[in-house]
Amino acid sequence: SAVISQKPSRDICQRGTSLTIQCQVDSQVTMMFWYRQQPGQSLTLIATANQGSEATYESGFVIDKFPISRPNLTFSTLTVSNMSPEDSSIYLCSVSGIMNTEAFFGQGTRLTVV
Amino acid sequence: SQQGEEDPQALSIQEGENATMNCSYKTSINNLQWYRQNSGRGLVHLILIRSNEREKHSGRLRVTLDTSKKSSSLLITASRAADTASYFCATDADQGAQKLVFGQGTRLTINP
């Protein structure tokens, strides 16, 4: 299993500013995943973060808006840039076990943009 | 885009009753997983069923998988107030990939 520490757990931010979310895993993992969960909705994958290379973004998400860092095998950050109220969501980081096993999630960051 | 569709979107039952949630998906999969989310927090893994399995049990949970219909169901028996949560199915986005595609979720409320 993996234990993921994600912070901040919540924040209220002014529009136009940026917020960086941190995700720390208690073991080394190859890939880390960042998801967004808009209010009352399901999870949508933003990007996959690999150590030593640029993140791979899903359709509809771009690096300028959601820059990701992955400096080592246990840590990643997601920045939500130039925020607008539409960015108000829960952001979750996740790692997977070896193939065909469960995924582990951080507790999420509840972001409100005002 | 979301691969999975779940129904019902919301379900409210009395404590002690059984709750059944359904999930459909569109592409071939290696496995399908069910997760629970309490009050917008992190997701907790409940059960994984592989594509070559048809049914799996874990405590009060029973999951079925019908790959011919591309559908799965989650049954919670003898529900408890603590089962109140949102439940999501998730499939591997591409066979062999670790990233997941989530269904829309079912919000389950257990009334005491």
Side-chain angles (χ1 to χ4, degrees):
Chain A
S1 66
V3 176
I4 302 175
S5 173
Q6 184 176 340
K7 58 182 180 182
S9 60
R10 61 177 60 225
D11 207 343
I12 300 174
C13 300
Q14 297 292 321
R15 67 179 67 199
T17 63
S18 299
L19 175 72
T20 295
I21 302 167
Q22 299 180 6
C23 185
Q24 178 77 51
V25 188
D26 68 343
S27 58
Q28 293 184 341
V29 293
T30 304
M31 288 188 282
M32 296 177 72
F33 305 91
W34 287 97
Y35 291 87
R36 180 178 73 181
Q37 185 177 26
Q38 295 177 300
Q41 303 296 314
S42 185
L43 282 74
T44 300
L45 182 66
I46 297 172
T48 303
N50 300 304
Q51 194 270 335
S53 63
E54 278 198 5
T56 303
Y57 289 83
E58 298 299 307
S59 176
F61 297 96
V62 295
I63 187 171
D64 289 346
K65 177 66 176 177
F66 298 101
I68 288 172
S69 77
R70 183 80 200 275
N72 57 53
L73 291 174
T74 64
F75 187 79
S76 179
T77 67
L78 169 76
T79 298
V80 186
S81 303
N82 188 25
M83 290 183 286
S84 67
E86 290 71 34
D87 294 319
S88 297
S89 296
I90 297 171
Y91 293 85
L92 300 107
C93 66
S94 172
V95 302
S96 291
I98 58 176
M99 201 70 69
N100 279 339
T101 63
E102 65 189 279
F104 303 94
F105 286 83
Q107 284 300 297
T109 297
R110 185 182 293 271
L111 170 63
T112 302
V113 183
V114 297
Chain B
S1 62
Q2 294 297 316
Q3 170 166 236
E5 299 289 333
E6 291 186 59
D7 74 272
Q9 292 189 350
L11 179 62
S12 181
I13 61 174
Q14 294 300 120
E15 195 167 19
E17 294 180 339
N18 296 339
T20 299
M21 290 158 273
N22 302 297
C23 166
S24 62
Y25 56 92
K26 297 178 181 176
T27 63
S28 297
I29 61 172
N30 277 331
N31 61 66
L32 184 144
Q33 305 180 46
W34 285 89
Y35 289 84
R36 183 184 73 215
Q37 183 181 39
N38 290 86
S39 302
R41 303 293 288 169
L43 275 70
V44 175
H45 181 264
L46 295 177
I47 195 165
L48 178 151
I49 185 165
R50 293 185 172 80
S51 59
N52 61 353
E53 298 176 312
R54 292 297 167 259
E55 187 172 311
K56 201 163 184 179
H57 297 254
S58 176
R60 294 185 295 114
L61 305 180
R62 172 178 168 252
V63 169
T64 64
L65 179 65
D66 187 334
T67 53
S68 67
K69 296 181 179 178
K70 291 186 169 60
S71 67
S72 175
S73 68
L74 170 67
L75 168 67
I76 302 175
T77 61
S79 64
R80 306 167 180 169
D83 295 329
T84 295
S86 293
Y87 292 81
F88 296 92
C89 67
T91 57
D92 45 343
D94 300 298
Q95 279 187 304
Q98 294 184 29
K99 59 184 182 180
L100 299 174
V101 175
F102 285 84
Q104 291 304 307
T106 295
R107 176 152 186 80
L108 175 65
T109 301
I110 308 299
N111 302 303

